[in-house]
Amino acid sequence: MRFIRTDRQKDNLAKVFWDMGKIIFGVLVISPLARPELLSFGSFASGVLVGGFSWLLGYMIDGKEVRK
C-alpha cells in the first residue's frame, strides 16, 4: 500500500517539510539572535541540522520539479 497516492498529496507533503524546516530554523537559530543570552551552540546546531534535514526531505519528495 502506497502512502502517497496522488501527485497533489506528494506536493502538499513536500510543502509541509519545507515549511517545517523554515519554522524550526527560525525558532532555534534566528529568534535567539534577538536575545543573545538564549543563543547556545546546541540550539544553533540542532536548528541547522533538523531544519536542513527537513528541507532536504522536502526537496527529495518534490523530485518531479528537479527532473524536468
Side-chain angles (χ1 to χ4, degrees), residues 8-55:
R8 186 170 182 179
Q9 285 178 328
K10 182 179 173 183
D11 291 339
N12 289 338
L13 187 61
K15 288 177 189 178
V16 165
F17 281 110
W18 277 106
D19 291 340
M20 256 186 356
K22 288 187 282 188
I23 291 169
I24 291 168
F25 188 81
V27 167
L28 292 177
V29 176
I30 296 180
S31 65
L33 294 176
R35 294 182 60 195
E37 65 273 4
L38 296 178
L39 185 62
S40 69
F41 179 74
S43 68
F44 180 81
S46 64
V48 170
L49 288 175
V50 175
F53 179 73
S54 182
W55 286 331

